[in-house]
């Protein structure tokens, strides 16, 4: 709990301002990047934004290359007409979240763990997001519904780890997050908290003194799983944010998604691994794309992905190689895709 002597957090704080001023208009995004001269691209971005809205912080845009429509950060957030062309096996709930919901907003897929969808809000709208069509209203990830989830968790003593997800849990105010962590802190059989957040990467201002005090008083081991897909995402501000989390004693891991045209080369994966380890982050998972409606254009062939992971293992120390996995609904864990004997090189 935040100590009473600690000054109250005001709404007009730097990270809140940065979040509020995120770019939401495709016209503005393309203008900033000097790509607004292409009328077709602009029209397509506006059309696809009706399927899933645009949102991207300005600090993240600043890491993109102006004038380059193939920039790997831009490709993750720019709406495209390709989003209208999903095949039948790309669906609204590709990882079985709804069938795993045991209480409003609480998912239980794997032994010993549960995941709480604490908010629908994100700082960035990634076009490949597996929850881009998640029915947040039905899941009702609101503060007044946490009580039901906490009761469920408190009754199930087989649970030892709680995962906070969303949306993005770090879009909660410090007060709301402190309230949630205080409730979790009273459940003795929960040994660890895992926080899945993209904010240390896309909005590193969020890792401020107020948040650090909240996390530092949680009374549980915290594992922070960030989400970076490309080395270009990791600049000095991100490294500083990660260092603050590590100084609290948090374990910091990264999970990436293998995305066509973003990070589907050996060079890109090596650069990402190097950048992560340099920042003190352990490469944890490299996910195959979840087949969510609207994201088919990001899909990488599994055979190629296995060859890429094989080459990555042959070119890096083992601790720098993420596990290539796919999430298949109903299975008791992520499905690990094994590497193959070395006969291929990237081409």
């Amino acid at each position: 709990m935040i100590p009473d002597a600690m000054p109250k957090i005001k709404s007009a704080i730097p990270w809140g301002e940065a979040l509020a001023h995120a770019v939401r208009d495709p016209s503005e995004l393309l203008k900033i990047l000097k790509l607004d001269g292409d009328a077709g691209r602009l029209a397509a971005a506006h059309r696809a934004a009706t399927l899933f809205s645009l949102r991207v912080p300005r600090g993240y845009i600043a890491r993109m290359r102006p004038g380059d429509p193939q920039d790997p950060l831009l490709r993750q957030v720019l709406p495209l007409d390709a989003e209208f062309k999903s095949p039948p096996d790309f669906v609204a709930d590709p990882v079985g979240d709804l069938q795993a919901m045991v209480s409003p907003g609480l998912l239980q897929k794997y032994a010993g763990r549960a995941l709480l969808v604490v908010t629908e809000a994100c700082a960035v709208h990634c076009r490949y997001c597996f929850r881009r069509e998640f029915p947040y209203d039905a899941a009702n990830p609101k503060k007044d519904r946490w009580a039901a989830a906490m009761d469920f968790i408190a009754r199930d003593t087989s649970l030892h780890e709680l995962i906070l997800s969303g949306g993005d849990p770090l879009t909660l105010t410090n007060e709301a997050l402190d309230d949630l962590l205080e409730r979790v802190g009273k459940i003795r059989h929960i040994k660890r908290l895992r926080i899945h957040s993209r904010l240390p990467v896309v909005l590193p201002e969020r890792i401020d003194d107020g948040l650090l005090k909240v996390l530092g008083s949680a009374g549980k081991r915290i594992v922070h799983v960030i989400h970076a897909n490309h080395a270009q995402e990791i600049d000095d501000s991100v490294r500083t944010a990660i260092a603050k989390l590590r100084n609290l004693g948090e374990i910091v891991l990264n999970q990436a998604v293998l995305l066509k045209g973003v990070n589907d080369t050996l060079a890109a994966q090596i650069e990402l691994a190097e950048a992560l380890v340099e920042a003190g982050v352990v490469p944890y998972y490299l996910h195959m794309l979840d087949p969510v409606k609207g994201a088919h254009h990001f899909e990488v062939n599994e055979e190629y992905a296995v060859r890429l992971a094989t080459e990555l293992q042959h070119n890096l120390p083992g601790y720098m190689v993420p596990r290539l996995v796919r999430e298949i609904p109903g299975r008791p864990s992520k499905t690990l895709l094994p590497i193959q004997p070395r006969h291929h090189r990237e081409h």
Side-chain angles (χ1 to χ4, degrees):
M1 183 174 180
I2 302 176
D4 291 339
M6 192 177 298
K8 296 293 184 182
I9 305 297
K10 295 182 170 40
S11 59
I13 55 177
W15 77 268
E17 293 176 0
L19 183 61
H21 289 94
V23 172
R24 298 169 179 266
D25 182 353
S27 297
E28 184 179 8
L29 174 61
L30 293 174
K31 184 176 181 180
I32 292 170
L33 294 172
K34 306 185 187 310
L35 292 168
D36 53 331
D38 186 330
R41 180 182 296 116
L42 182 58
H46 278 288
R47 283 192 295 269
T50 65
L51 296 176
F52 182 45
S53 63
L54 171 74
R55 187 172 196 175
V56 54
R58 294 173 188 273
Y60 190 73
I61 297 171
R63 297 172 227 165
M64 299 177 187
R65 296 188 293 262
D68 182 4
Q70 302 305 318
D71 179 85
L73 277 58
L74 177 62
R75 283 186 58 81
Q76 295 180 58
V77 300
L78 181 65
L80 299 173
D81 266 344
E83 296 176 38
F84 289 94
K85 302 172 184 175
S86 288
D89 56 337
F90 275 63
V91 296
D93 183 17
V95 296
D97 277 348
L98 297 183
Q99 69 188 44
M101 194 175 300
V102 294
S103 181
L106 186 67
L107 315 180
Q108 189 174 8
K109 296 182 181 180
Y110 308 135
R113 290 151 282 175
L115 182 148
L116 183 61
V117 178
V118 300
T119 177
E120 69 276 16
C122 278
V124 64
H125 289 179
C126 302
R127 308 312 297 179
Y128 53 88
C129 177
F130 67 92
R131 290 200 182 118
R132 59 180 280 168
E133 297 204 13
F134 186 78
Y136 287 103
D137 288 341
N140 202 11
K142 308 292 184 185
K143 182 177 177 179
D144 60 356
R145 300 294 301 203
W146 291 346
M150 291 299 115
D151 287 345
F152 184 97
I153 295 165
R155 291 194 304 270
D156 189 347
T157 57
S158 72
L159 296 175
H160 303 297
E161 179 172 276
L162 179 63
I163 302 165
L164 304 184
S165 185
D168 195 304
L170 293 191
T171 60
L172 295 176
T173 65
N174 288 338
E175 289 87 352
L177 190 60
D178 184 55
D179 176 51
L180 176 58
L181 297 189
E182 183 182 8
R183 297 190 201 193
V184 177
K186 295 176 180 177
I187 304 175
R188 295 184 63 182
H189 55 267
I190 296 296
K191 307 298 183 186
R192 292 177 303 281
L193 274 169
R194 198 185 332 160
I195 299 175
H196 284 198
S197 177
R198 190 133 158 80
L199 266 71
V201 175
V202 302
L203 197 77
E205 301 96 319
R206 179 64 184 102
I207 315 303
D208 60 11
D209 290 344
L211 175 64
L212 295 173
K213 289 175 182 177
V214 170
L215 297 176
S217 63
K220 303 286 186 184
R221 164 64 73 181
I222 295 179
V223 179
H224 209 114
V225 183
I226 66 169
H227 176 187
N229 294 315
H230 196 278
Q232 191 176 315
E233 296 179 80
I234 303 173
D235 65 358
D236 285 343
S237 66
V238 175
R239 285 186 281 270
T240 298
I242 291 167
K244 291 178 180 179
L245 295 174
R246 295 184 69 235
N247 285 342
L248 285 180
E250 290 192 10
I251 299 169
V252 185
L253 311 173
N254 184 65
Q255 54 183 0
V257 181
L258 185 59
L259 301 167
K260 185 176 181 180
V262 173
N263 59 6
D264 57 337
T265 67
L266 180 60
Q269 286 296 324
I270 289 176
E271 289 169 9
L272 175 59
E274 294 278 7
L276 288 168
V277 172
E278 184 66 23
V281 180
V282 178
Y284 170 44
Y285 276 151
L286 177 59
H287 285 268
M288 296 295 295
L289 178 72
D290 294 317
V292 65
K293 186 178 179 181
H296 180 253
H297 56 292
F298 287 113
E299 187 176 38
V300 175
N301 175 276
E302 186 172 304
E303 181 181 354
Y304 173 80
V306 169
R307 292 202 309 268
L308 180 61
T310 300
E311 286 299 314
L312 196 58
Q313 180 154 314
H314 290 319
N315 280 274
L316 290 175
Y319 65 89
M320 293 178 67
V321 181
R323 288 174 287 179
L324 179 66
V325 296
R326 183 185 292 282
E327 182 166 354
I328 300 175
R331 294 213 177 166
S333 67
K334 300 287 193 301
T335 298
L336 180 65
L337 304 183
I339 68 166
Q340 302 298 321
R342 188 175 193 174
H343 343 283
H344 299 282
R345 287 196 172 274
E346 187 197 26
H347 53 279

